[in-house]
Amino acid sequence: MTSDRAGEDGETSGAGDPGANGVGSVVDVAISRLKQRIGSGEFAPGHRLPPESVLAGELELSRPSLREAVRALAMAGVLEVRRGDGTFVTDLRPERLMSAIGSFLDLAQDTALDEMLECRKVLEPGATAIAATRIDDAALDGLLERIERMRTMQDPRELVREDLAFHADIVAATGNRTLQSLVSSVSNRTARARTWRALVKSDVLAWTHQQHMDIHAALRARDSLGAFAAASRHVNDVETWVRERLDAVRETPGGPLG
C-alpha cells in the first residue's frame, strides 16, 4: 500500500464508513469488502491493489480501517505487502484464497485454540517417546508409506488428513487407548489451524517431510529421547507459526476480535 500523507491517519473517506454508526467491527467490514472483491475475481491472484487512498474511497472505508484489514489479510497469507512496491494478492489459487480467509477469521475468533495447541505440545511428544519403545516394524513401514504419500500431495486438506493419520498411528503404537483418545481429541481441534497453515505456507511440504522423517528415524532407532525431541520440534514449529500470526491480529485495536 502507498504510505499515508502527513496528518491523514485519522481521515475518513466519507459517511459510508461503517464505523460512523458503530455497527460491528470496522475492520471486519473492511475485510469483508476486500474478500468480496477477491472472491469475485476483480482482485485476482498476483493483482496489485490500488493505492490506499483510492481503495479506501472505493470501499467507503477510512484509511486506518483499510490498513488494519490489509494487515490482517497479510497475516492470513492472502495479501503480500512488498515494501516500496505495493500490496498484492498472493499467487494462491482462488479457491485457496477464499479458504485461507475463512479459516483465518474463524481461528482468530477461537479462544480455545491456544489451549488446544498447548495441549498438543504436552501430549504428542510424550506419546511419541512411548511409541519408540513399543512400535513394531510393520507400523514403522506403514508410517514411512504415509510420509512418502504426503510428499506428493497438493491438496492442503488431504495433506492435513494424512498428517493427522500419521500422528494417530504413532500414538496407536503405544497401546494406550486413553492416550489415543486424548491425543485424537486435541489433534482434531487443531486441524483447522494446520489446514490454514498448509494453505498459505509455500514450503510446508518440504518442511513437513523433513520433520516427519526425523520422527520416523528416531522411532526406527527405538530412541525414546530422540523421538520426544523430534516430535517437540515439529509441534512447536507449527504452534509458533500459527500463534505469531493470530496474536498479531488479535492484539490489534479494532481488529477481528474488536
Side-chain angles (χ1 to χ4, degrees):
M1 303 293 287
T2 55
S3 60
D4 280 342
R5 294 190 300 274
E8 286 190 342
D9 276 357
E11 176 188 335
T12 60
S13 58
D17 193 311
N21 296 320
V23 180
S25 165
V26 180
V27 178
D28 284 343
V29 175
I31 290 173
S32 177
R33 291 181 184 177
L34 280 170
K35 178 180 174 181
Q36 287 172 4
R37 295 225 174 171
I38 292 170
S40 70
E42 182 179 351
F43 292 163
H47 181 93
R48 179 179 178 176
L49 297 188
E52 186 179 85
S53 57
V54 174
L55 186 58
E58 290 178 357
L59 298 178
E60 298 184 315
L61 296 165
S62 68
R63 290 175 67 171
S65 297
L66 175 62
R67 197 173 304 131
E68 293 303 336
V70 167
R71 181 168 178 261
L73 292 176
M75 290 290 180
V78 173
L79 297 178
E80 178 184 359
V81 180
R82 303 176 191 170
R83 192 171 298 279
D85 196 17
T87 298
F88 295 79
V89 180
T90 59
D91 290 331
L92 297 175
R93 293 193 301 271
E95 62 272 19
R96 285 201 184 187
L97 285 173
M98 301 312 293
S99 293
I101 295 173
S103 296
F104 175 77
L105 296 178
D106 287 344
L107 291 169
Q109 302 283 351
D110 187 356
T111 55
L113 177 62
D114 294 330
E115 292 184 358
M116 291 299 107
L117 290 170
E118 195 168 72
C119 287
R120 187 184 180 213
K121 185 165 59 176
V122 170
L123 289 171
E124 276 195 27
T128 306
I130 296 172
T133 67
R134 301 177 182 175
I135 195 165
D136 59 28
D137 288 342
L140 285 166
D141 291 343
L143 289 176
L144 191 57
E145 289 176 8
R146 284 199 187 278
I147 292 172
E148 290 307 313
R149 280 199 297 275
M150 281 187 275
R151 190 175 193 173
T152 61
M153 287 180 172
Q154 299 301 316
D155 186 326
R157 291 169 186 80
E158 289 183 7
L159 176 63
V160 172
R161 279 195 293 269
E162 195 70 18
D163 177 71
L164 289 171
F166 171 81
H167 292 288
D169 286 350
I170 292 173
V171 183
T174 68
N176 186 321
R177 287 179 295 178
T178 301
L179 187 55
Q180 283 180 255
S181 178
L182 289 169
V183 173
S184 175
S185 176
V186 170
S187 293
N188 289 333
R189 291 288 301 276
T190 63
R192 283 192 309 170
R194 291 148 80 175
T195 300
W196 166 53
R197 182 175 173 277
L199 280 164
V200 302
K201 193 175 189 302
S202 60
D203 63 343
V204 72
L205 270 176
W207 178 93
T208 300
H209 178 76
Q210 184 56 58
Q211 296 212 341
H212 283 171
M213 287 299 293
D214 291 344
I215 292 171
H216 184 269
L219 292 171
R220 176 77 73 180
R222 272 63 177 190
D223 179 357
S224 185
L225 184 57
F228 182 91
S232 292
R233 284 194 299 271
H234 179 62
V235 173
N236 284 339
D237 284 354
V238 173
E239 180 190 24
T240 298
W241 191 93
V242 171
R243 279 187 187 274
E244 284 177 351
R245 283 150 185 80
L246 291 177
D247 287 350
V249 174
R250 287 167 171 171
E251 293 168 2
T252 299
L257 298 184

